[in-house]
Structure formats: C-alpha cells, structure tokens
Amino acid sequence: MKKTSRIISVGAVAAGLLVATACSSGAGGGDGGGAEAKQSDLPASVDLKGETVASLFTSMNNDYYSTWDQGARAAVEAFNGTYVSQTNEGDPATEIAQFQQQVDAGVKIIFITAPDSGPVPEIARIANENDVCLVNTWEMDPWDSPFEYGDNYTQYIFPDTYAAAYETATALFEEMGGSGKFVHITGHPGATPDAVRTLAVDDALKEFPDIELVDRQPGEWDRDSSRTAMSGVINRVGKEIDGVFGQNDDVAIGAMNAMQEAGIEDVPITGMDGNLGTMDLIKSGDIFAVNSSLPNWNAGFSFVQALDACKSGEPPRALNRQILSQGMLVTADNVDDYIENYTEDGNLPWDWVKMSRVAYPDDWDPQNGIKAMDMDDMWKWAEQPAGYELPQEYVDDLPNMDEVNAEWDEHWKLLRRD
C-alpha cells in the first residue's frame, strides 16, 4: 500500500513490554452460534494460513476489553490466523513499544484501541513506514484523521457513542419521570468518548428542563474511582438523588456500590459498554440500562477491515476510512435476548468471514449499522487548530455520503435490529 503523507515523531518509547498471549488457529469456519448465524466458507483469497495477527488494547482486567479479546480471537481464527494480544495497562508508551515489537516480528495486520489519543500518531507513522495495515478504534485527536498519515492507517472506527449516550440519557430521564436530581459520573477527562458522551448527556438534558444536574465528577472508567467519586457526591449533595448516568459499565457499577453503601435504593443507574457481567445487575434491577457498543463485534470487524486492506492492497474509499458503528440499548426487556445472541455465553453470532469485502465482494455483510463519519459533526465540541482544513480526499468524496451510507445499510442482512 502507498505510504505517503505527514510523519509525526514522538519522544523516546518506554522499553518494558508486556507478555503477549497467542493462540494458534483452528480450522476456518466454526459454529457462529446464536441468532441463526453460521460461518461462511473461507475463500483462498483471505485464508491467512497461520499468519499472525495482533490486537493491542488496554487491559484484560476490564470487562469491555476482555469481551473485545473474545471477538478478536474468534474473528482471526475464522480466517485461519494466529491471534496475539498485548495489553498496555493504560500506558501509551507501552502500546507504542508493543506495536513496534509486533512490526519487528513481521506482523502485517494490527488492530488497536489506545488508552488515549497520544500514541496513535506514532503508531500510524510506524505502520506506514513498515507497510502494516492498521485499524484504530475509539481514540483520536480532534480533527485528526487517517489521511494525515498515509494509506496504511487503513481506518478509524468510532462506535457512535453520541447517539448511544443520548439514547441512554433520554431513557434514564424518562425512567426518572422527567424530573428530579441527576448525577453524572464521567470517564477520563480529555478522552474522546468521554467528551462525546458528555456532550450527548448535556444535549439530552436540554429536552428535560425539570431534570437538575446536581453534580458531575470523573470516574476514570473504573469501579474504584467511580465509587470514590460517587461517595463524594453523596457527601456534598445528600441522598436525594433520582438518577445516575455512568460513562461506562464499570463507572455505573462503582456508583451503584457507593449508593448501596450509603443506603440509597431504587434509583435508576445507567452505563455504557454492554459487558456480560452487567447483565445480571440489569436482571436484578440494580442497573436500569446500559448501551452496548458490541465490543466483540467491534474487535472482529476492526480486524476484518485491516485484513481487507492488506489483501486488496489498498485502503477503503475516502468516506469509509472514518466510520461510526451502531450499538444497542439493553434493559430488562431485552437483556435475555442480548445474552443469548450477542455475548460469549450465547456463542458469538457473527459470521466473521461474511464481513469481508475481499472474501465476498457481492454479498459482504457488516452485521451491524455503519455510516460514514461527518467530521464537522464528530468534532464539533473541539476547536479546530489554526489554519485547519478538512483532508482533500475526504472533501472530494463528501458529495457521495448518502450513497456510501446506503451501501452499508443495503448490505446489512444478518442480525438486523430495526
């Protein structure tokens, strides 16, 4: 693939690397399980024949990422690949070092999430210098894009967390009866999904003038920090709290723990991720709802996008190099269906091979809602850098936005949720 464009250098990289976990592939295909999905035949054009594929992410001590790992492994093995994962435990320098390690080992397909946007430019630079097909999910500096680094930064995928957070906040406010005292426990300040979810909550609040935001504190994406943050809120504002929005599932659980310790009961709490462990809390009524970004699907789909770029020798068209993916709201009404059809316990339903345009050029199927990213809308919360202009390749393809979105929708046949 072509390797042109801006190069950004980052300072020296930390040396300590975490031990990789690898799993040799089995035969291609396998049982897709749930929702009547089955694995399509594996064409020779995408058979990896044992080639190593790497996924880099934050931590296996986080339910979201352990679910990500499940989907990543299943997808790579469906293409007869050997799967390797490495975790950075929140250290950007470690992820850069791990990426370089995989490149030095000859790995050509790597898909990542980053602890923050900091390591992404350097990882993109390494990918383009070494002809590695890179797909990145979640973190990106505002107004940045794959176009700034070259064709090997294949794609940026952002689960449509604004739409998900707006839907979740609206459901919470309706459950509160449209009025009352509301607490928002966020994630890590400065993280892209944190900023976007907060914007969505604020926009939903505008539709419910009788909902009072009494406090907003960072929960740092983890249970312990969120429990501490929520305890502080209770000390400041008292126990008269009518609803809590947690910026992810672990934040919601941390807030729940603090409220239970304070003797606060029957208050609707929401989260975002859709971790399997949270489902029992929805069934028990301790958590009202969560919005799942389908992390196992996100991982596998990210891999397939990188695979297709490597096998075709070119990146996707311009509008498909930055995309938004759909999630689903999980409540007591559909929690059993979610467990059965969208989690490891239910035997993952995705037909990974059918996601590939290279494998199935006429009838590929993303198995989820996808749309091209509108950069002006995506980054509206962040000021543009001085002299900034949208990437020319992106601008040239913008008139085709409706056509691109229609193509994604027309190909989505399996597991439709509309």
Side-chain angles (χ1 to χ4, degrees):
M1 284 169 46
K2 184 176 66 177
K3 296 176 286 183
T4 60
S5 216
R6 184 178 73 186
I7 303 258
I8 292 184
S9 36
V10 169
V13 172
L17 294 176
L18 302 179
V19 177
T21 59
C23 178
S24 297
S25 67
D31 182 8
E36 301 182 354
K38 76 176 188 67
Q39 203 65 54
S40 295
D41 293 334
L42 182 67
S45 60
V46 292
D47 189 340
L48 290 172
K49 299 179 180 179
E51 179 182 339
T52 297
V53 176
S55 180
L56 310 183
F57 50 92
T58 300
S59 176
M60 285 296 290
N61 295 319
N62 177 293
D63 284 348
Y64 176 88
Y65 289 113
S66 63
T67 305
W68 168 282
D69 184 65
Q70 291 167 355
R73 183 182 301 277
V76 171
E77 291 179 356
F79 288 81
N80 279 335
T82 298
Y83 175 67
V84 171
S85 65
Q86 288 187 298
T87 59
N88 58 69
E89 304 306 322
D91 182 18
T94 295
E95 186 166 67
I96 295 172
Q98 290 170 338
F99 191 87
Q100 183 67 65
Q101 182 192 48
Q102 295 302 322
V103 171
D104 291 344
V107 177
K108 291 297 184 182
I109 300 173
I110 306 178
F111 55 109
I112 71 167
T113 69
D116 56 43
S117 60
V120 174
E122 178 69 359
I123 285 173
R125 181 192 68 77
I126 296 170
N128 278 280
E129 284 188 349
N130 294 276
D131 202 25
V132 170
C133 299
L134 166 68
V135 170
N136 170 40
T137 299
W138 283 116
E139 292 289 351
M140 173 81 88
D141 283 332
W143 301 105
D144 205 358
S145 73
F147 303 102
E148 305 295 336
Y149 304 97
D151 287 355
N152 283 83
Y153 186 173
T154 299
Q155 193 176 58
Y156 172 49
I157 302 174
F158 191 72
D160 194 354
T161 204
Y162 176 90
Y166 186 89
E167 178 186 30
T168 306
T170 299
L172 173 63
F173 298 158
E174 290 174 348
E175 181 69 10
M176 292 169 60
S179 65
K181 295 182 177 181
F182 164 63
V183 174
H184 186 191
I185 306 296
T186 64
H188 177 68
T192 303
D194 186 65
V196 175
R197 290 173 190 178
T198 297
L199 175 65
V201 170
D202 286 345
D203 285 349
L205 277 169
K206 295 173 185 175
E207 305 298 321
F208 293 85
D210 293 328
I211 300 283
E212 178 189 2
L213 176 62
V214 295
D215 209 342
R216 170 178 282 154
Q217 296 294 325
E220 297 294 344
W221 301 127
D222 69 77
R223 298 183 188 187
D224 289 342
S225 298
S226 300
R227 174 179 168 273
T228 299
M230 190 69 207
S231 294
V233 170
I234 294 168
N235 288 336
R236 285 189 297 276
V237 307
K239 296 184 179 181
E240 291 186 15
I241 296 169
D242 301 299
V244 179
F245 185 104
Q247 209 83 315
N248 72 358
D249 282 16
D250 279 346
V251 169
I253 292 169
M256 177 197 75
N257 289 338
M259 294 175 73
Q260 290 177 346
E261 290 165 4
I264 304 172
E265 299 178 348
D266 300 324
V267 172
I269 304 170
T270 60
M272 297 189 68
D273 274 347
N275 299 329
L276 180 59
T278 314
M279 299 304 114
D280 286 339
L281 298 173
I282 292 178
K283 295 176 83 168
S284 68
D286 292 302
I287 297 290
F288 165 60
V290 299
N291 208 301
S292 173
S293 60
L294 305 172
N296 49 48
W297 174 90
N298 266 288
F301 181 78
S302 297
F303 153 67
V304 173
Q305 297 303 289
L307 171 89
D308 275 0
C310 269
K311 293 299 185 181
S312 68
E314 57 186 17
R317 66 180 295 168
L319 282 178
N320 282 339
R321 291 188 68 186
Q322 300 179 104
I323 59 174
L324 302 174
S325 62
Q326 185 175 311
M328 63 182 293
L329 186 69
V330 184
T331 68
D333 292 336
N334 65 344
V335 64
D336 288 331
D337 174 72
Y338 179 80
I339 293 171
E340 179 181 356
N341 292 323
Y342 295 96
T343 71
E344 184 74 8
D345 271 14
N347 201 357
L348 299 182
W350 320 110
D351 186 338
W352 304 111
V353 176
K354 204 63 178 288
M355 291 180 187
S356 169
R357 295 184 186 226
V358 173
Y360 289 92
D362 296 323
D363 58 347
W364 53 273
D365 188 336
Q367 296 154 66
N368 192 18
I370 301 287
K371 64 181 181 180
M373 183 183 295
D374 180 333
M375 291 185 71
D376 285 328
D377 186 60
M378 172 71 186
W379 304 117
K380 62 186 177 184
W381 53 273
E383 184 177 352
Q384 287 187 359
Y388 177 84
E389 294 183 359
L390 291 170
Q392 191 59 50
E393 293 173 72
Y394 171 81
V395 171
D396 290 344
D397 208 13
L398 266 179
N400 303 310
M401 180 78 78
D402 289 345
E403 170 193 326
V404 168
N405 290 339
E407 181 185 39
W408 283 110
D409 186 65
E410 288 164 4
H411 276 264
W412 182 15
K413 306 294 185 183
L414 296 172
L415 302 166
R416 285 198 74 109
R417 298 187 299 277
D418 53 11

